[in-house]
Amino acid sequence: GSYSIDSLNSFTGSAADDLVTVADNDFDFSGGNGNDILTIDYEAYTDINYSAYWFYTNAGYVSLLELNGTFDGGSGSDYLKFSETSDSNDGYRVVDLTKASISNFTGIKGVAPLMVTQAQFDSLSFEAVNSVYIKSDGVVNGNASDNTFMGSGSEQFKPKGGDDTVSRVDSVIF
């Protein structure tokens, strides 16, 4: 079936192929037997109050999008996607998956840059993803490409080549 959900605690899929869009970022998902696509819609985290010079901490703009919960794709060929991660500068905000438990998903599709653990990086495929940053021992590692990383203000970032643009981090490690 096809489902569009604003908020939930958990979702259990059917034996058929489920197309699920959720506007929540903290829940548990069990995909069931079909070939499922779970899309996390970050439209609620808009940049309406974003300015190039000021970040309003209580006005709705979130620079680093998080996903929390347990996500089990079940059997079948299942994918995780993200929508509405762009900001007013036509960039894509990073989606932090390091606090999510993800299993039995074939991979992740979409253009949003992702921050993952080494185990997540090793177990998932990434299709048409802008950039993948691996967070290890509290440090977000860049890659050989030209990285554009905007954190929440508490991350440590370590570039690995390319012409990088880094903002809203605690420190850059060379």
Side-chain angles (χ1 to χ4, degrees):
S2 182
Y3 309 94
S4 183
I5 304 165
D6 286 334
S7 180
L8 74 160
N9 291 322
S10 65
F11 180 90
T12 301
S14 67
D17 297 349
D18 294 320
L19 302 174
V20 182
T21 300
V22 179
D24 198 342
N25 69 334
D26 190 357
F27 63 97
D28 295 328
F29 178 87
S30 179
N33 294 328
N35 297 326
D36 306 316
I37 298 176
L38 171 61
T39 302
I40 309 299
D41 182 357
Y42 283 103
E43 187 175 12
Y45 299 89
T46 64
D47 60 347
I48 243 171
N49 297 311
Y50 172 78
S51 161
Y53 304 103
W54 298 99
F55 288 92
Y56 297 91
T57 57
N58 61 355
Y61 184 76
V62 178
S63 59
L64 185 70
L65 303 169
E66 293 183 344
L67 182 64
N68 300 291
T70 301
F71 301 87
D72 183 347
S75 62
S77 181
D78 306 310
Y79 284 91
L80 185 57
K81 293 175 65 175
F82 302 97
S83 67
E84 301 301 333
T85 63
S86 61
D87 64 21
S88 62
N89 293 323
D90 293 327
Y92 291 96
R93 294 173 286 170
V94 174
V95 178
D96 181 357
L97 302 179
T98 61
K99 296 176 185 169
S101 173
I102 302 171
S103 61
N104 299 316
F105 275 88
T106 301
I108 298 175
K109 292 182 178 182
V111 296
L114 305 172
M115 182 166 52
V116 299
T117 66
Q118 184 67 54
Q120 290 169 328
F121 183 80
D122 293 341
S123 67
L124 296 166
S125 71
F126 302 92
E127 298 179 23
V129 172
N130 183 301
S131 293
V132 179
Y133 304 103
I134 299 173
K135 186 174 183 179
S136 178
D137 297 324
V139 176
V140 179
N141 295 285
N143 53 50
S145 300
D146 294 346
N147 298 167
T148 301
F149 182 85
M150 180 170 36
S152 66
S154 64
E155 293 79 24
Q156 295 180 319
F157 187 86
K158 184 174 185 175
K160 288 197 174 179
D163 187 11
D164 298 341
T165 302
V166 179
S167 61
R168 290 189 50 84
V169 297
D170 179 63
S171 55
V172 176
I173 301 170
F174 291 98

